[in-house]
Amino acid sequence: MRRSTTTGVALALASLLTVTACSSGGGDGGGTGSGGGTGSGDGPEPVVFWGSWSGDQVAQLEEQAAAFNASQDDYEVEYVSQGLVEEKLLTALAGGAVPDVVLWDRYQTSLYAPKGALAPIDDMVAADDVDLEAFYAPALGEMEVEGALYGLPLLVDNRSLLVNQTALDEAGVTAPTTWDELKAAAVALTQRDGGTLERAGFDLSDPGLFNMFLTQAGGSLLNDDETETAFNSPEGLEVLALWQDLMDEGVYELGFGDGTDPFAESTVAMKLDGPWALATLDQVDGLEYSVVQPPSGPAGPGAYMGGFGLVIPEGAKNPEGAWEFMRWWTTQPENGVAFGEISGWIPANVEAANDPFFTEDPRYAAFIETMDYAQVRPSVEGFSDVEGKALVPALEQFMAGELSAEQALRQAQEQGDALLAAAR
């Protein structure tokens, strides 16, 4: 399942899938609140729904759209998979053929709203008296740019700790709750045949998770006014010292399990992963696993959240229908829970996320508990490049032994500060 990730903006596209929406009396760009549709009596108005989800996920979205269509007579939502949906939306805006509503990586809002790609929804929220406090506040914040709201949060995720329960039981250890316990458990769970690693105690393949370790150490990615990086710090060095200790203990080797799912194959005993992984893991015969909150660091617990929202593009033919679909899905907890049952995704509506469907399942319960303190990445323009072009490459060099911890963070700081300055 696709997760929420940082993506760059493509300046050119090789091809475009053009979708034409035939409207029977579509909107003029304004909202109508919670009233009925503006149709001419010839049937429900079409609402064109774009997103990047594909494959098996298409059926999940189609089932949810069908439930909305059956709930009222004014609108009919149709999902159209688009792949690189953010980039294709910009191209569609130039051609005048935009969809009505988009399943949106929330992290992209601060990048695309200033480009005029998204319509603000403040008037619609006010007209229908939508309670914005019903959503996880960090997720809602990702939909806001310079005081305007550009969508409603729909789905949330975070990275919690997945553990192979069989391996833990055999080793006589419990799931770790602190960094020290993580190191001890990882050592105990590692298996070697001579010098060959057969089972890694802890997966260290993703240096992008530096951000959550950093907050567990009490550090920050950016300074208070978000003009410079702040990860080249004692807390940042503390994270890399932990990683180095784990590597020195031999609990992981770079490239181990590449091309496979080593946790599913029981060749990795512990890993940080999101709720999107559960559906696949549940299909693995003989795999017994648990999910717990990520281990706390010296400063306590810490995690980051990602996920999706729903937005209305500028120039949508049927913004009224798009809004009704958004409001139905996001503000009515039962509809968020229903999609969780279909897809396994956690709703951004707090009441829906705390439904027994999630909280009484011990695996989902851990993700819900982690949501209580999960924060979001900085939304300042240029930060996605700081991560992708400066921080992660430097951390990869550190993990490969090409740079010391001090050199890696200093290099990432210098490059990251330059990228932030260039984006201002």
Side-chain angles (χ1 to χ4, degrees):
M1 179 171 286
R2 182 183 184 270
R3 60 184 176 88
S4 171
T5 56
T6 303
T7 57
V9 181
L11 298 179
L13 296 173
S15 62
L16 172 67
L17 175 60
T18 301
V19 178
T20 302
C22 300
S23 174
S24 57
D28 59 2
T32 60
S34 59
T38 58
S40 61
D42 296 329
E45 297 179 9
V47 177
V48 179
F49 177 27
W50 278 14
S52 60
W53 290 16
S54 59
D56 293 341
Q57 295 173 290
V58 171
Q60 298 169 3
L61 295 173
E62 289 177 340
E63 184 173 345
Q64 189 74 351
F68 169 74
N69 295 340
S71 73
Q72 45 75 53
D73 299 323
D74 296 318
Y75 307 107
E76 184 169 352
V77 173
E78 179 183 3
Y79 177 70
V80 183
S81 179
Q82 288 293 337
L84 299 173
V85 68
E86 295 92 356
E87 290 87 343
K88 287 187 177 180
L89 179 58
L90 291 181
T91 304
L93 283 164
V98 300
D100 298 306
V101 62
V102 180
L103 179 65
W104 187 257
D105 183 344
R106 292 193 311 270
Y107 187 62
Q108 301 293 345
T109 307
S110 63
L111 180 61
Y112 285 86
K115 297 178 185 293
L118 309 178
I121 64 168
D122 301 272
D123 290 346
M124 295 177 173
V125 168
D128 281 325
D129 195 24
V130 172
D131 181 12
L132 297 179
E133 293 184 359
F135 302 102
Y136 285 106
L140 181 70
E142 285 191 305
M143 310 299 293
E144 296 174 330
V145 180
E146 296 183 355
L149 184 64
Y150 287 91
L152 293 178
L154 177 67
L155 307 171
V156 291
D157 60 58
N158 62 65
R159 298 294 186 105
S160 292
L161 186 67
L162 277 61
V163 298
N164 184 309
Q165 195 59 52
T166 302
L168 260 68
D169 292 343
E170 290 176 349
V173 298
T174 58
T177 62
T178 66
W179 281 11
D180 287 342
E181 291 177 4
L182 173 66
K183 179 179 174 181
V187 171
L189 292 165
T190 300
Q191 290 184 342
R192 290 182 174 272
D193 181 6
T196 302
L197 182 63
E198 293 191 331
R199 185 176 71 198
F202 180 62
D203 187 349
L204 281 168
S205 63
D206 186 359
L209 297 181
F210 174 85
N211 54 20
M212 68 181 298
F213 283 92
L214 183 64
T215 191
Q216 293 162 8
S220 300
L221 291 165
L222 298 181
N223 62 3
D224 289 343
D225 62 6
E226 297 189 326
T227 58
E228 295 180 338
T229 62
F231 46 71
N232 185 12
S233 62
E235 295 84 6
L237 291 172
E238 198 165 11
V239 172
L240 298 192
L242 171 67
W243 289 8
Q244 188 64 62
D245 285 347
L246 290 167
M247 294 292 286
D248 290 345
E249 291 286 356
V251 307
Y252 181 77
E253 293 177 354
L254 292 185
F256 181 76
D258 282 358
T260 67
D261 185 344
F263 187 83
E265 296 181 356
S266 297
T267 55
V268 162
M270 299 187 295
K271 69 177 298 189
L272 291 161
D273 212 337
W276 55 81
L278 303 189
T280 298
L281 295 176
D282 286 345
Q283 299 177 25
V284 179
D285 289 340
L287 177 64
E288 295 185 10
Y289 71 98
S290 303
V291 183
V292 298
Q293 295 180 60
S296 295
Y304 276 83
M305 73 169 70
F308 294 87
L310 293 172
V311 297
I312 301 173
E314 280 287 0
K317 293 181 173 63
N318 195 349
E320 296 91 349
W323 170 248
E324 289 303 312
F325 179 51
M326 290 170 58
R327 191 169 63 88
W328 173 88
W329 193 346
T330 63
T331 69
Q332 298 180 32
E334 63 271 21
N335 297 327
V337 174
F339 190 68
E341 293 172 348
I342 294 169
S343 66
W345 275 86
I346 298 170
N349 182 295
V350 177
E351 181 180 342
N354 283 274
D355 184 86
F357 174 78
F358 297 104
T359 60
E360 292 182 1
D361 183 325
R363 297 167 307 165
Y364 278 107
F367 289 111
I368 303 303
E369 292 163 354
T370 302
M371 289 303 307
D372 288 341
Y373 51 82
Q375 55 186 284
V376 294
R377 291 167 293 173
S379 59
V380 63
E381 189 168 357
F383 181 73
S384 61
D385 282 342
V386 172
E387 279 194 314
K389 297 180 179 180
L391 181 57
V392 170
L395 294 174
E396 289 174 340
Q397 289 181 279
F398 164 74
M399 295 296 285
E402 298 169 3
L403 295 176
S404 69
E406 292 80 4
Q407 289 171 331
L409 292 183
R410 184 169 60 251
Q411 172 181 298
Q413 175 191 5
E414 293 171 353
Q415 294 176 353
D417 288 346
L419 289 166
L420 288 174
R424 289 199 294 270

